[in-house]
């Protein structure tokens, strides 16, 4: 299938809802695996496994994934940002709940919205985009005001979620500002996976992270889900959707991810869904919708 659709068909909608559900479940899977896998090692193993799967898939499809001379240094930069993002994010889940983390991590689109004018001056924020930013920040401020009730460790975990969002947004901006913006999706994904695998596993060994003496099957299943379903399959599916359907229409479905993340934390992990965190999630979701609203007579860009 090589043609490009102007509208979303039933297959696209099914795939998008599936991607959002998988990404929402990811926080719960990380939280489960943290009982046996330390955070940096878990993130590194996930990247390593997905990189091996991507290499095998690219070899089967005869697709180039190695960096070129032009993309070598950008690949190292984005790979290190990717490693820092997931290192901070996985570590933060030791201190805060998965349902709270999903609110803070999805501040990433606002980091991209604020930084994009520095890369592409034509993509300045309009009134609706500014309103979305203010609404999201108000929601996050409300969520942070509740952090004190969970003790200093929860506040630390929430702050690490915000830092993870900043690093995620910075990775997107780095891709847009460098030669990687002209590379294939497979090359870009491989550079992030390969570099982050080496960096995260090396950091884990250097910090002397302690492993569980006996890893439970449930933890192995959670790590396998992250590696095969989330990092490999869903990312490739997302890139396929980006090639064949309008980016502005499929980006709206990313709003479902925090909702699925909150539900997964509550239903699977038994985490509390306080009124304040639900309101914060709603504020972030509406804020993303406003920031993603295309400006009049402006070309659309891919979602962050």
């Amino acid at each position: 299938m090589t043609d490009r659709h102007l509208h979303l068909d039933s297959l696209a909608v099914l795939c998008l809802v599936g991607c959002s559900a998988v990404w929402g479940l990811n926080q719960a899977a990380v939280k489960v695996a943290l009982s046996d896998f330390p955070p940096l090692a878990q993130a590194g193993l996930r990247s390593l496994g997905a990189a091996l799967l991507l290499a095998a898939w690219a070899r089967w499809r005869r697709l180039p994934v190695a960096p070129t001379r032009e993309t070598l240094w950008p690949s190292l930069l984005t790979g290190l940002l990717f490693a820092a993002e997931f290192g901070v994010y996985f570590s933060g889940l030791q201190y805060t709940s998965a349902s709270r983390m999903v609110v803070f991590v999805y501040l990433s689109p606002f980091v991209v919205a604020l930084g994009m004018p520095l890369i592409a001056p034509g993509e300045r924020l309009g009134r609706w985009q500014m309103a979305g930013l203010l609404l999201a920040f108000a929601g996050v401020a409300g969520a942070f005001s509740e952090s004190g009730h969970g003790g200093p460790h929860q506040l630390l975990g929430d702050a690490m979620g915000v830092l993870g969002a900043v690093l995620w947004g910075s990775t997107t901006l780095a891709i847009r500002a460098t030669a990687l913006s002209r590379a294939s999706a497979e090359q870009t994904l491989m550079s992030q996976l390969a570099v982050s695998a080496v960096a995260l596993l090396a950091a884990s060994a250097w910090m002397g992270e302690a492993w569980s003496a006996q890893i439970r099957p449930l933890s192995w299943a959670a790590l396998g889900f992250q590696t095969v379903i989330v990092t490999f399959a869903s990312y490739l599916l997302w890139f396929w959707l980006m090639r064949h359907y309008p980016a502005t229409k499929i980006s709206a479905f990313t709003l479902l991810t925090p909702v699925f993340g909150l539900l997964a934390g509550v239903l699977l992990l038994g985490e509390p869904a306080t009124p304040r965190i639900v309101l914060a999630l709603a504020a972030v979701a509406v804020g993303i919708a406003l920031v993603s609203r295309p400006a009049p007579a402006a070309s659309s860009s891919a979602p962050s």
Side-chain angles (χ1 to χ4, degrees), residues 26-177:
N26 185 61
Q27 281 80 14
V30 174
K31 193 81 172 177
V32 168
L34 278 173
S35 59
D36 290 322
F37 292 100
L40 298 181
Q42 182 184 168
L45 289 173
R46 186 180 92 148
S47 288
L48 177 60
L52 294 174
L53 289 172
L54 179 59
W57 185 83
R59 182 178 178 84
W60 175 58
R61 296 292 305 273
R62 298 182 180 179
L63 298 173
V65 292
T68 63
R69 181 179 300 179
E70 185 184 22
T71 62
L72 178 59
W73 290 110
S75 294
L76 290 173
L77 171 62
T78 56
L80 290 173
L81 286 172
F82 188 81
E85 170 200 335
F86 281 98
V88 168
Y89 163 39
F90 278 40
S91 299
L93 276 169
Q94 297 178 109
Y95 308 113
T96 192
S97 65
S99 53
R100 292 182 65 83
M101 179 63 79
V102 74
V103 175
F104 300 112
V105 167
Y106 271 82
L107 286 175
S108 170
F110 307 104
V111 176
V112 176
L114 286 172
M116 192 57 69
L118 302 176
I119 299 172
E123 297 191 31
R124 292 188 296 270
L125 297 178
R127 290 178 297 174
W128 286 109
Q129 286 76 22
M130 288 301 300
L133 284 174
L134 293 175
L135 180 61
F137 285 135
V140 170
F144 256 109
S145 67
E146 192 181 50
S147 296
H149 302 297
H153 292 304
Q154 181 173 289
L155 182 62
L156 173 62
D158 292 346
M160 293 176 81
V162 174
L163 178 57
V166 172
L167 290 167
W168 182 9
S170 300
T171 304
T172 302
L173 292 171
I175 291 172
R176 287 290 303 271

Side-chain angles (χ1 to χ4, degrees), residues 213-277:
Q214 185 174 4
I215 300 175
R216 299 170 302 155
L218 182 60
S219 295
W220 280 114
L223 179 61
F225 170 77
Q226 296 175 60
T227 302
V228 180
I229 305 300
V230 178
T231 313
F232 171 65
S234 74
Y235 288 0
L236 281 181
L237 178 58
W238 175 261
F239 288 138
W240 179 83
L241 290 166
M242 288 291 294
R243 289 193 189 102
H244 296 287
Y245 295 93
T248 53
K249 292 186 178 181
I250 69 173
S251 65
F253 281 80
T254 61
L255 296 176
L256 293 174
T257 302
V259 177
F260 281 117
L262 179 63
L263 291 175
V266 173
L267 298 177
L268 300 181
L269 302 178
E271 297 174 348
T274 64
R276 190 171 297 182
I277 200 65

